[in-house]
Amino acid sequence: DGGITQSPKYLFRKEGQNVTLSCEQNLNHDAMYWYRQDPGQGLRLIYYSQIVNDFQKGDIAEGYSVSREKKESFPLTVTSAQKNPTAFYLCASSWLSNQPQHFGDGTRLSIL
Amino acid sequence: SQQGEEDPQALSIQEGENATMNCSYKTSINNLQWYRQNSGRGLVHLILIRSNEREKHSGRLRVTLDTSKKSSSLLITASRAADTASYFCATDGENYGGSQGNLIFGKGTKLSVKP
């Protein structure tokens, strides 16, 4: 059963701490994305990757970092430089950049 | 600012009624997509309409696209309580901001269908 798995579902961050959100897909998609969603808002693109070992900043990349060492995996690190990290984070994948995206069920990040 | 903007922000109807949501966008597009999001879940792709298409159907969904007005509408016919969700349009903003070539999502319409 193909899909995208995000973990954990809930995550709490302490002041000054970096945290990493996991995203794994078995759809054999080349492109992967990280979005941030705030209450009542649409999705804002943080980072995207169109191929292994390559990624680009989206609209709100400051305070975040990513890696793409394997086609299946695209982890997102929320660094201590991100001063307002509380949000719902969604990972997605697709064949091409403007084609339908498949989404995971998100990670909700809060500050302790 | 967003490429796509949905209207209305919230919509409440009775089961069996039709629900219409609108999306306006700013730049030229190759395609426009509609997604659904249940509370606390990820988005699910519903339908894609290309810039050279005017109307598309999928089950109880009907999507129209007017490129001259830069707008699209999503019609859900004979709505059910299970249709309660947020609905987002997404466009491929070819020359728009830092997301070039990627999808840009609107803020969504929150639909509530009462039994």
Side-chain angles (χ1 to χ4, degrees):
Chain A
D1 193 21
I4 296 187
T5 302
Q6 289 188 242
S7 62
K9 192 170 179 64
Y10 299 96
L11 187 57
F12 298 91
R13 195 192 87 169
K14 295 179 181 178
E15 289 286 342
Q17 186 182 42
N18 292 353
V19 292
T20 298
L21 285 60
S22 170
C23 178
E24 303 276 333
Q25 56 103 355
N26 60 3
L27 298 166
N28 202 31
H29 286 164
D30 287 313
M32 296 188 74
Y33 315 83
W34 274 106
Y35 295 94
R36 171 181 171 138
Q37 186 177 32
D38 292 283
Q41 300 294 311
L43 279 63
R44 291 186 290 168
L45 184 64
I46 305 172
Y47 268 97
Y48 63 100
S49 168
Q50 294 179 329
I51 197 168
V52 175
N53 292 322
D54 188 45
F55 49 82
Q56 283 78 41
K57 294 181 180 179
D59 298 312
I60 55 165
E62 187 175 348
Y64 301 97
S65 66
V66 293
S67 63
R68 186 87 187 274
E69 296 176 2
K70 299 187 298 182
K71 189 175 186 178
E72 303 79 23
S73 179
F74 191 40
L76 173 75
T77 296
V78 184
T79 74
S80 57
Q82 173 50 246
K83 298 307 179 188
N84 182 25
T86 298
F88 190 50
Y89 290 87
L90 287 162
C91 179
S93 70
S94 69
W95 290 112
L96 296 172
S97 61
N98 69 346
Q99 293 303 301
Q101 294 185 6
H102 295 252
F103 284 80
D105 269 342
T107 292
R108 192 167 298 279
L109 176 62
S110 303
I111 296 181
L112 278 177
Chain B
S1 61
Q2 304 291 123
Q3 157 79 321
E5 294 286 347
E6 290 90 345
D7 169 62
Q9 292 185 349
L11 180 61
S12 183
I13 60 175
Q14 295 293 131
E15 219 169 18
E17 294 179 341
N18 294 344
T20 299
M21 289 157 268
N22 303 297
C23 171
S24 59
Y25 57 92
K26 297 174 183 175
T27 70
S28 60
I29 60 170
N30 294 307
N31 70 60
L32 184 144
Q33 302 175 34
W34 285 92
Y35 288 79
R36 165 195 171 123
Q37 183 181 33
N38 285 52
S39 181
R41 303 294 299 274
L43 278 70
V44 175
H45 178 259
L46 295 176
I47 198 164
L48 179 153
I49 186 165
R50 293 184 173 80
S51 60
N52 62 352
E53 297 175 312
R54 291 296 166 258
E55 188 170 313
K56 204 161 182 179
H57 297 254
S58 176
R60 291 184 297 112
L61 305 180
R62 172 180 168 245
V63 169
T64 62
L65 179 63
D66 187 335
T67 53
S68 67
K69 295 181 180 178
K70 291 187 169 59
S71 69
S72 173
S73 67
L74 170 67
L75 168 68
I76 303 174
T77 60
S79 63
R80 305 165 183 168
D83 294 328
T84 295
S86 291
Y87 292 82
F88 295 87
C89 69
T91 54
D92 55 345
E94 188 174 320
N95 297 305
Y96 189 84
S99 304
Q100 292 196 21
N102 293 309
L103 295 183
I104 300 173
F105 290 82
K107 294 184 179 181
T109 291
K110 192 168 186 177
L111 174 65
S112 175
V113 181
K114 299 178 181 178

